[in-house]
């Protein structure tokens, strides 16, 4: 399978009063086309910083220090480095080829704009040219948009070629003339209704006229997903998209994501701290600890035969259906990333730590085909075997 | 024979909604609408349900943090006569000497500890309320309590912000047990913590319950956590208790359709085949105007006529198992038939 | 034995309150404007304390009365005898500026002290207990809000006569409404905080809850406001003196000195700046005094900002 997104040696620091927080330290990750990748870890381990760095939406005082994020939208295309793009080019990537669902639907939706306009905005931002072309074709083939049809035809003809043409910008400032984009807005709203309907919401025509506070939590999350899916992204990033939802609503959303994967989106990057969600929805998983990736591979391999001591400990520390005996816990707590531990960042809490662990940082190595681990101990055990 | 510690009889908590020009009461949010529940001495009763179903309100109403608006909450002290907490004020409880026996541990330890107090003073506060000790004895007692929760003397002179989340929750637990309580409400005590720390706190709570002979009301939405720590479980939906039974029984023989939906919705960390899942339609109805009859009928996949007309009562079906459903005797077959689910193990 | 070694180990560390104070001070002094504010302020405090030595009073029983030699209305330029010159009526500007510092502190401390004490007490009680007392108090505060300061000051002066004390009372009477509102809103936020609920569960009395849990967590906005107010009260009092409601003629008060210089702000047409010293010295004192308190208030705000304070 071809690689869709590949992060290499991504390093991000946050400069705070107490010193530089080394949130990501030479972080590498690769996601294939058509794969659902789960990124798990505890809070503060840098899961969200990872995606924010990849999409370049890190907030001050965070700074991306180095690395590459290679993104190839088509399987055979030459990858582009997202970190080297201009801000304007990046804007056309965000929300178009890569889009994101946030944890808190209340924060992601604007409370004073109707649902329909919020979903339509995504089309108006990324798809003006295409929609204008479609309307032009419709007008050419005899469809009427009222008295102003010739004016619409002329303006949309320009928009179809270049939606950012100076003429359009000028007209948008002039009374009456600024209505040139009415058919486009109408078309965008139609598309919004269509996509909301597709997400299993009953009578979408009515929903689009409502405001976010009229909807329940699960509905809002669906609308957020609709916005994310509007432009058929190649990669959908779900940042704790189900964490704040109730079990029954979470079940609805997870099923929705599963259905979507079968139909439309190429890949999903699912960020969560819930191992159960990952086990059920993902094919591949990456386990993060304190800004580093410690283990990655197929979900089945990683969860059934975890190689990194952290993954092992994490798996034994969550209660299970057929839990027997006492839960094992990881001693100590997540380190402060202003002064991260030397060498392997897990070594102060690791039951299998060796001398080497406190001095050398382990590399991510493919010990078993398709299963990468960054651990000196696993290295020795498996390496010794083969 | 198990001894009751608290018995709820139709406990209600309605929050009034005011409207109109003169701010008259126009409606009320029925956060708790007649809940019947027995809590036995020494057990850990898990209360599960979706957000807004009244789990936390139950806990707060029992210990009189939010005074209930109706019903009874009868407390049976180890020594002495039972008393109705629902009709007592905080001051009356203090005078009767039972205020400190009912404690609570909150969800988020960052907001439940005063940021400007030293740990020493935080733990000392409940002790001072109960007995007069010399400074030396007080400190000795504080240290012994800290050691009970896995902290030590060196943590005495620190502020809460100098601790990690898990340690802060330990301090919150220490403060609760410093009041030498009999009954503690645990309001999602692990949901603000990291996964790896959650297990530490759960084990600590379990150990303390056995050592100090405490009774817990463990409020959570996480079913696997409740399965791990609880001896008995009560399932709540929209201000009502719909099913209660011992933990193992609930997971092996659930009777209410809503319990089935909850259990099937748990994401299981063990990789298995594609899970069968009961996905409920729609959302929880508003507690302002709860549905008639059985409150779950609007979302229930097996709803029949009688469900929307008559409200089912909590019925004892043996094995210490109570359920409020008109079709409890056939739910199991229905679930198997419609969703192909036979069990949840 | 073991206990004592542990004790010494604890005592070997510095006391956490000291550490906390150091942390706060470090935060304050990281801010250059705070340093300027503190330096200015310590200068004014020094002058106020040392006033009798810097400018020995001529009349020991009434040190605030500015000495004057002659009655000529025309100010005299700085000379060896009067290093800042004399203002209209031949009052010594230097003496007035030095003793005016004491007056400024007197005004600020009195007004902010009274208003702060009344405001905090009422605000905490209203916010914590709520109910009819809260409703009644807040409506009363609304009424107080509708009283213009100038009208109140004139009424008081008409009733009780001209004097700095009456102006200070007028200022305190209108200033407490700010403190009530600020502290009440803080207390409302805190009242439902979990640590307050936990204290209630333990049976801690309301009085102890207010003193131990509510006040220490809600006092900082008031401290910041008080610091800013110290400056603005001096401005208000000066304004009153300037319009003739405040300190009597010849009283060592900066506002009153500016009032004396009113006719000499612009000199004769051939030399408009001839009498610059009459307005400059008292004016600059007012500006610097207010600036010092404002800088300090800003620094406190930054230091106590909960968003910045902890990681």
């Amino acid at each position: 399978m071809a690689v869709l997104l590949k992060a290499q040696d991504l390093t991000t620091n946050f400069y705070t009063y107490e010193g530089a927080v080394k949130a990501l330290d030479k972080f590498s990750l690769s996601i294939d086309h058509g794969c659902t990748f789960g990124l798990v870890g505890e809070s503060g381990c840098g899961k969200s910083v990872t995606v924010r760095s990849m999409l370049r939406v890190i907030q001050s005082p965070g700074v991306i220090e180095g690395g590459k994020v290679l993104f190839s939208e088509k399987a055979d295309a030459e990858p582009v480095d997202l970190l080297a793009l201009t801000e304007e080019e990046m804007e056309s990537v965000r929300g178009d080829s890569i889009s994101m669902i946030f944890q808190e639907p209340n924060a992601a939706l604007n409370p004073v704009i109707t649902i329909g306009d919020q979903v339509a905005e995504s089309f108006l931002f990324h798809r003006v040219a295409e929609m204008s072309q479609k309307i032009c074709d419709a007008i050419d083939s005899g469809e009427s948009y009222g008295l102003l049809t010739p004016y619409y035809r002329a303006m949309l003809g320009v928009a179809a070629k270049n939606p950012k043409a100076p003429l359009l910008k000028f007209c948008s400032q002039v009374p009456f003339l600024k209505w040139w984009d009415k058919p486009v807005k109408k078309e965008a709203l139609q598309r919004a209704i269509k996509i909301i309907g597709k997400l299993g919401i009953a009578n979408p025509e009515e929903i689009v006229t409502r405001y976010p506070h009229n909807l329940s939590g699960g509905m809002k999350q669906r609308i957020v997903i609709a916005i994310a899916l509007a432009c058929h992204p190649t990669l959908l990033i779900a940042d704790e998209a189900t964490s704040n939802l109730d079990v029954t609503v979470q079940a609805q959303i997870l099923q929705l994501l599963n259905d979507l994967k079968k139909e439309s989106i190429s890949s999903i990057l699912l960020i969560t701290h819930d191992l159960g969600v990952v086990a059920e929805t993902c094919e591949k998983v990456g386990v993060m600890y304190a800004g580093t990736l410690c283990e990655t591979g197929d979900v089945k391999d990683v969860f059934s035969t975890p190689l990194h001591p952290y993954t092992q400990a994490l798996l034994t520390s969550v209660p299970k259906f057929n839990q027997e005996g006492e839960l094992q816990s990881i001693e100590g707590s997540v380190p402060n990333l202003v002064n991260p531990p030397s060498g392997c960042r897990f070594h102060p809490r690791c039951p299998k730590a060796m001398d080497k662990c406190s001095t050398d940082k382990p590399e991510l190595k493919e010990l078993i085909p398709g299963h990468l681990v960054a651990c000196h101990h696993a290295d020795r055990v498996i390496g010794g075997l083969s | 024979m198990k001894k009751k510690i608290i018995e709820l009889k139709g406990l209600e908590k309605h929050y009034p909604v005011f409207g109109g020009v003169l701010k008259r009461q126009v409606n009320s949010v029925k956060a708790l609408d007649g809940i019947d529940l027995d809590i036995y001495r020494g057990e850990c009763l898990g209360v599960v349900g979706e957000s807004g179903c009244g789990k936390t309100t139950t806990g707060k109403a029992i210990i009189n943090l939010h005074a209930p608006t109706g019903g009874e909450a009868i407390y049976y002290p180890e020594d002495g006569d039972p008393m109705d907490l629902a009709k007592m004020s905080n001051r009356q409880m203090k005078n009767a000497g039972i205020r400190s026996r009912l404690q609570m541990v909150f969800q988020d330890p960052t907001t439940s500890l005063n940021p400007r107090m030293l740990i020493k003073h935080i733990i000392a506060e409940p002790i001072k309320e109960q007995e007069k000790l010399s400074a030396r004895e007080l400190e000795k007692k504080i240290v012994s309590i800290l050691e009970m929760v896995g902290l030590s003397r060196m943590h005495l002179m620190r502020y809460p912000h100098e601790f990690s989340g898990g340690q802060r929750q330990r301090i919150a637990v220490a403060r609760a047990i410093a009041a030498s309580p009999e009954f503690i409400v645990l309001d999602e005590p692990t949901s603000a913590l990291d996964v790896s720390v959650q297990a530490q706190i759960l084990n600590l709570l379990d150990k303390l319950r056995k050592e100090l002979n405490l009774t817990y009301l463990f409020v959570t939405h996480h079913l696997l956590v409740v399965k791990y720590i609880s001896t008995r479980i009560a399932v709540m939906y929209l201000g009502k208790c719909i099913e209660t039974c011992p933990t193992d029984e609930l997971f092996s023989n659930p009777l209410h359709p809503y319990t089935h939906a909850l259990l099937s919705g748990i994401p299981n960390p063990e990789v298995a085949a594609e899970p069968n899942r009961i996905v409920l339609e729609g959302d929880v109805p508003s507690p302002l105007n709860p549905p008639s009859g059985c409150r779950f009928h609007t979302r229930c996949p097996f709803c029949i006529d009688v469900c929307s007309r008559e409200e089912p009562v909590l019925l004892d079906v043996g094995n210490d198992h109570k359920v409020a459903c008109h079709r409890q005797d056939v739910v199991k077959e229905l679930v198997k038939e419609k969703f192909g689910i036979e069990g949840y193990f | 034995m073991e206990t004592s070694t542990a004790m010494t180990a604890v005592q070997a560390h510095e006391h956490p309150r000291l550490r906390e104070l150091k942390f706060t001070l470090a935060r304050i002094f990281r801010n250059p404007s705070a340093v300027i504010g503190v330096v200015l302020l310590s200068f004014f405090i020094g002058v106020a304390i040392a006033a009798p030595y810097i400018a020995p009073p001529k009349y020991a029983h009434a040190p605030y009365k500015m000495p004057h030699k002659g009655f000529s209305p025309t100010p005299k330029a700085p000379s060896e005898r009067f290093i800042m010159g004399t203002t209209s009526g031949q009052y010594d500007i230097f003496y007035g500026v030095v003793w005016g510092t004491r007056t400024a502190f007197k005004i600020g401390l009195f007004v902010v002290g009274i208003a702060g004490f009344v405001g905090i007490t009422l605000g905490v009680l209203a916010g914590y207990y709520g109910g009819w007392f809260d409703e009644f108090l807040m409506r009363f505060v609304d009424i107080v809000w509708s009283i213009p300061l100038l009208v109140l000051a004139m009424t008081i002066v008409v009733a009780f006569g001209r004097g700095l004390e009456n102006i200070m009372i007028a200022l305190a009477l209108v200033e407490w409404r700010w403190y009530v509102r600020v502290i009440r809103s803080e207390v409302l936020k805190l009242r439902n905080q979990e640590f307050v609920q936990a204290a209630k569960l333990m049976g801690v009395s309301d009085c102890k809850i207010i003193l131990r849990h509510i006040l220490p967590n809600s006092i900082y906005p008031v401290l910041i406001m008080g610091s800013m107010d110290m400056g603005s009260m001096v401005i208000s009092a000066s304004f009153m003196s300037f319009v003739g409601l405040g300190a009597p003629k010849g009283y060592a008060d900066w506002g009153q000195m500016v009032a004396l210089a009113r006719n000499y702000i612009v000199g004769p047409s051939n030399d408009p700046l001839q009498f610059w010293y009459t307005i400059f010295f008292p004016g600059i004192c007012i500006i610097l005094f207010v600036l010092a308190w404002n800088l300090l208030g800003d620094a406190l705000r930054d230091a106590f900002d909960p968003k910045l304070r902890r990681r």
Side-chain angles (χ1 to χ4, degrees):
Chain A
M1 264 189 292
V3 175
L4 170 70
L5 185 83
K6 189 172 178 147
Q8 282 175 346
D9 294 339
L10 198 59
T11 306
T12 301
N13 291 349
F14 284 80
Y15 291 95
T16 64
Y17 172 55
E18 284 172 46
V21 178
K22 295 154 194 92
L24 281 187
D25 183 28
K26 299 212 166 186
F27 177 87
S28 302
L29 177 79
S30 91
I31 301 168
D32 293 338
H33 271 279
C35 153
T36 309
F37 191 95
L39 195 59
V40 290
E42 297 174 74
S43 53
C45 74
K47 295 171 303 212
S48 293
V49 176
T50 307
V51 287
R52 283 173 181 275
S53 301
M54 292 198 293
L55 289 181
R56 287 174 43 194
V57 285
I58 284 280
Q59 279 158 347
S60 168
V63 179
I64 303 171
E65 297 284 340
K68 276 181 182 170
V69 179
L70 301 172
F71 178 67
S72 33
E73 193 166 356
K74 303 264 162 22
D76 45 359
E78 188 69 20
V80 274
D81 184 2
L82 294 184
L83 297 185
L85 293 182
T86 63
E87 188 53 38
E88 202 168 311
E89 289 168 316
M90 201 59 213
E91 263 172 27
S92 65
V93 173
R94 279 183 224 131
D96 193 354
S97 10
I98 304 179
S99 62
M100 197 156 164
I101 311 171
F102 292 95
Q103 178 168 9
E104 189 55 65
N106 288 326
L109 295 176
N110 187 334
V112 295
I113 300 180
T114 59
I115 296 294
D117 286 350
Q118 297 197 44
V119 181
E121 199 185 342
S122 185
F123 294 108
L124 289 173
F125 200 86
H126 295 290
R127 292 284 184 271
V128 172
E130 188 209 321
M131 288 191 292
S132 307
Q133 189 59 50
K134 194 182 155 200
I135 296 164
C136 287
D137 293 346
I139 294 175
D140 290 345
S141 61
E143 200 168 318
S144 170
Y145 283 85
L147 275 178
L148 290 172
T149 308
Y151 174 61
Y152 288 149
R153 174 66 187 86
M155 293 300 283
L156 295 179
V158 178
K161 287 193 191 78
N162 177 13
K164 285 181 182 158
L167 172 68
L168 300 177
K169 271 189 189 157
F170 173 74
C171 286
S172 300
Q173 303 297 320
V174 183
F176 303 110
L177 288 185
K178 69 180 177 191
W179 293 335
W180 66 269
D181 56 357
K182 265 200 166 172
V184 183
K185 282 191 174 155
K186 216 169 152 190
E187 168 73 16
L189 195 64
Q190 286 306 317
R191 290 188 179 197
I193 291 172
K194 214 156 124 200
I195 193 141
I196 292 174
K198 242 165 96 182
L199 294 184
I201 296 176
N203 50 7
E205 290 85 358
E206 200 203 320
I207 293 286
V208 290
T209 61
R210 302 251 195 103
Y211 288 89
H213 64 87
N214 297 125
L215 307 181
S216 66
M219 278 292 228
K220 274 186 243 176
Q221 195 60 290
R222 275 164 201 259
I223 299 298
V224 173
I225 293 178
I227 295 173
L229 290 180
C231 296
H232 293 286
T234 331
L235 176 65
L236 180 71
I237 299 175
D239 187 357
E240 304 271 10
T242 61
S243 307
N244 275 3
L245 303 174
D246 285 311
V247 187
T248 56
V249 182
Q250 172 173 303
Q252 294 171 355
I253 300 293
L254 287 182
Q255 195 175 42
L256 179 68
L257 284 180
N258 263 337
D259 294 347
L260 286 173
K261 193 172 69 181
K262 282 175 198 147
E263 290 170 22
S264 44
I265 343 167
S266 163
S267 306
I268 300 178
L269 173 58
L270 196 73
I271 296 168
T272 180
H273 62 265
D274 192 334
L275 297 174
V277 170
V278 174
E280 284 192 6
T281 46
C282 300
E283 291 145 21
K284 293 220 164 183
V285 65
V287 182
M288 272 190 89
Y289 182 77
T292 54
L293 191 69
C294 35
E295 184 163 9
T296 174
D298 277 358
V299 169
K300 285 199 178 96
D301 294 347
V302 173
F303 278 27
S304 55
T305 53
L307 296 179
H308 198 286
Y310 176 65
T311 320
Q312 292 165 359
L314 200 61
L315 282 168
T316 51
S317 71
V318 280
K320 297 175 195 64
F321 257 120
N322 38 12
Q323 176 75 33
E324 279 164 18
E326 202 173 62
L327 273 185
Q328 301 299 309
S329 59
I330 311 178
E331 287 309 315
S333 49
V334 183
N336 182 350
L337 292 184
V338 175
N339 294 308
S342 59
C344 174
R345 285 184 173 189
F346 186 57
H347 84 261
R349 300 172 78 188
C350 184
K352 291 170 183 152
M354 311 179 285
D355 291 346
K356 199 180 171 190
C357 296
S358 57
T359 51
D360 297 2
K361 191 187 168 194
E363 296 284 320
L364 206 59
K365 280 188 195 155
E366 190 164 0
L367 292 183
I368 297 173
H371 192 157
L372 282 74
V373 186
C375 176
H376 293 306
H377 178 79
D379 203 13
R380 177 147 42 158
V381 174
I382 312 283
L385 285 177
S386 60
Chain B
M1 184 59 202
K2 291 189 289 184
K3 268 166 68 187
K4 273 183 204 162
I5 180 163
I6 280 173
E7 183 180 3
L8 307 183
K9 284 186 193 161
L11 194 70
E12 278 179 10
K13 176 72 189 173
H14 291 189
Y15 293 96
V17 176
F18 297 102
V21 188
L22 290 171
K23 291 258 183 80
R24 272 172 309 170
Q25 186 178 344
V26 287
N27 204 339
S28 58
V29 176
K30 293 146 193 90
L32 273 189
D33 206 7
I35 182 166
D36 302 311
L37 198 61
D38 295 341
I39 305 168
Y40 299 101
R41 213 164 257 285
E43 77 173 351
C44 173
L45 176 70
V47 178
V48 293
E50 289 174 276
S51 56
C53 73
K55 316 182 288 271
T56 305
T57 316
T58 312
K60 288 187 174 170
I62 294 174
I63 58 172
N64 224 335
L65 193 56
H66 291 172
T69 49
E72 292 173 50
I74 297 162
Y75 168 60
Y76 297 88
E78 193 127 33
D79 41 356
D81 301 327
M83 35 192 137
D84 185 2
L85 298 176
K87 295 195 177 48
M88 292 171 90
S89 70
N90 255 339
R91 185 175 293 271
Q92 284 170 322
M93 284 173 77
K94 199 178 170 186
N95 291 342
I98 55 169
R99 176 62 280 178
S100 63
R101 294 200 205 167
L102 309 164
Q103 287 298 317
M104 178 156 179
V105 173
F106 295 90
Q107 176 171 4
D108 189 352
T110 42
T111 57
S112 68
L113 300 174
N114 187 341
R116 301 206 183 275
M117 270 166 90
L118 294 171
I119 301 311
K120 183 178 157 186
H121 298 135
I122 289 177
I123 313 273
E125 195 167 35
I127 302 175
K128 278 188 191 159
E129 284 302 320
Q130 296 179 67
E131 47 190 334
K132 289 251 178 298
L133 292 175
S134 68
R136 185 174 288 269
E137 281 173 320
L138 184 67
E139 182 160 316
K140 214 167 147 192
K141 182 151 188 191
I142 295 170
V143 171
S144 76
I145 287 170
L146 278 181
E147 276 163 4
M148 234 189 267
V149 298
L151 297 171
S152 65
R153 179 179 283 275
M154 65 180 241
H155 298 111
L156 268 184
M157 299 298 266
R158 292 198 190 167
Y159 284 99
H161 66 80
E162 294 171 68
F163 293 89
S164 68
Q167 285 175 318
R168 273 182 226 163
Q169 196 60 291
R170 282 170 194 268
I171 294 163
V173 171
R175 178 182 57 186
I177 61 171
S180 50
E182 291 177 11
F183 176 73
I184 304 184
V185 174
L186 302 162
D187 183 13
E188 310 238 14
T190 59
S191 65
L193 303 179
D194 285 326
V195 187
S196 67
V197 184
Q198 169 178 299
Q200 296 173 7
I201 299 294
L202 288 179
N203 290 338
L204 170 73
L205 288 171
D206 206 38
K207 186 192 87 177
L208 288 175
R209 178 172 68 91
K210 286 169 187 150
E211 279 177 11
L212 303 174
N213 192 24
L214 299 169
T215 309
Y216 287 162
L217 185 81
F218 195 102
V219 174
T220 183
H221 64 273
H222 201 307
L223 281 139
L224 292 179
V225 166
V226 100
K227 178 173 185 294
Y228 176 67
I229 193 161
S230 299
T231 48
R232 221 155 57 89
I233 294 182
V235 183
M236 286 189 67
Y237 186 77
L238 215 58
K240 284 259 181 196
C241 175
I242 54 164
E243 186 165 5
T244 125
C245 65
T247 305
D248 293 339
E249 169 85 1
L250 187 90
F251 279 81
S252 60
N253 182 26
L255 291 180
H256 200 284
Y258 180 65
T259 316
H260 276 278
L262 281 183
L263 292 179
S264 76
I266 306 172
N268 190 354
E270 283 154 284
V271 187
E274 187 95 334
N276 288 318
R277 187 158 278 176
I278 305 176
V279 177
L280 294 177
E281 297 292 317
D283 293 290
V284 185
S286 158
L288 269 175
N289 301 305
S292 62
C294 172
R295 303 190 161 205
F296 186 56
H297 85 261
T298 51
R299 298 172 79 194
C300 184
F302 317 118
C303 170
I304 51 175
D305 280 351
V306 66
C307 296
S308 56
R309 275 187 281 111
E310 278 174 43
E311 182 153 4
V313 286
L314 205 57
L315 213 70
D316 199 335
V317 294
N319 259 350
D320 199 13
H321 194 156
K322 291 180 184 169
V323 64
C325 178
H326 290 299
R327 308 188 73 188
Q328 46 95 358
D329 43 346
V330 289
V331 164
K332 210 160 188 190
E333 282 104 80
L334 288 170
V335 167
K336 192 173 167 187
E337 201 176 292
K338 190 161 176 186
F339 299 99
I341 298 173
E342 291 190 40
Y344 299 101
F345 272 86
Chain C
M1 183 61 213
E2 190 202 291
T3 327
S4 63
T5 50
M7 285 292 281
T8 46
V10 171
Q11 277 155 1
H13 289 284
E14 51 186 339
H15 194 277
R17 295 210 194 279
L18 193 68
R19 200 171 59 221
E20 201 71 357
L21 186 72
K22 272 189 184 169
F23 179 76
T24 309
L25 286 181
R27 282 196 63 108
I28 292 176
F29 285 104
R30 221 156 38 96
N31 191 343
S33 64
V35 179
I36 298 174
V38 170
V39 167
L40 275 174
L41 205 59
S42 14
F43 171 74
F44 278 117
I45 293 174
V47 170
I49 291 173
Y53 306 102
I54 302 174
K58 195 173 174 190
Y59 325 102
H61 56 283
Y64 288 100
K65 201 161 157 34
M66 289 157 68
H68 61 125
K69 199 158 179 67
F71 294 92
S72 161
T74 318
K76 291 218 176 75
S79 61
E80 230 165 76
R81 176 103 192 271
F82 303 107
I83 53 170
M84 289 181 185
T86 57
T87 186
S88 175
Q90 301 311 313
Y91 293 104
D92 182 359
I93 295 184
F94 177 72
Y95 186 91
V97 162
V98 169
W99 284 87
T101 315
R102 277 199 172 189
T103 313
F105 276 106
K106 231 167 56 177
I107 297 169
L109 289 175
F110 177 82
V111 175
V112 172
I114 297 283
F117 178 76
V118 173
I120 289 172
T121 313
L122 291 178
V124 165
L125 293 179
Y128 185 75
Y129 288 105
W132 65 265
F133 177 67
D134 182 33
E135 194 72 17
F136 175 79
L137 182 77
M138 290 330 280
R139 294 299 79 77
F140 182 66
V141 169
D142 286 344
I143 293 168
V144 175
W145 270 100
S146 65
I147 300 174
L149 172 62
L150 202 56
V151 175
L152 181 73
M154 282 198 290
T155 317
I156 289 180
V157 168
V158 167
F160 300 102
R162 187 175 167 175
L164 201 61
E165 294 73 28
N166 292 335
I167 287 304
M168 295 197 310
I169 290 169
L171 285 172
L173 276 180
V174 290
E175 202 53 25
W176 65 278
R177 56 192 186 179
W178 283 98
Y179 293 89
V180 170
R181 286 212 167 163
V182 168
I183 197 132
R184 177 177 170 270
S185 71
E186 286 292 316
V187 174
L188 282 183
K189 265 187 279 173
L190 282 170
R191 187 173 69 174
N192 292 324
Q193 285 270 315
E194 287 172 347
F195 62 83
V196 177
Q197 295 190 345
K200 276 187 191 165
L201 283 180
M202 290 165 212
V204 181
S205 64
D206 285 345
C207 178
K208 277 187 197 159
I209 289 182
I210 288 177
L211 289 179
R212 233 185 257 159
H213 296 281
I214 303 268
L215 265 185
N217 285 294
S218 57
I219 201 76
Y220 290 97
V222 177
L223 282 187
I224 294 162
M225 220 174 83
S227 163
M228 302 260 188
D229 254 9
M230 288 287 287
S232 58
M233 284 308 100
V234 169
I235 287 222
S236 302
S238 300
F239 164 73
M240 296 289 177
S241 296
F242 185 78
V243 298
L245 292 173
K249 194 176 173 192
Y251 194 87
D253 169 58
W254 296 336
Q256 197 273 140
M257 291 167 73
V258 175
L260 277 179
R262 186 164 24 192
N263 294 332
Y264 301 94
I265 293 174
V266 182
S269 54
N270 57 353
D271 186 7
L273 292 179
Q274 194 188 345
F275 304 119
W276 61 273
Y277 46 88
T278 56
I279 193 75
F280 176 79
F281 292 113
I284 200 79
C285 281
I286 296 177
I287 291 174
L288 289 181
F289 190 81
V290 175
L291 183 72
W293 283 107
N294 276 6
L295 290 178
L296 188 71
D298 265 341
L300 288 180
R301 174 171 300 170
D302 289 349
F304 294 132
D305 186 343
K307 264 185 284 178
L308 296 172
R309 192 168 166 83
R310 299 284 171 229
R311 38 204 151 244

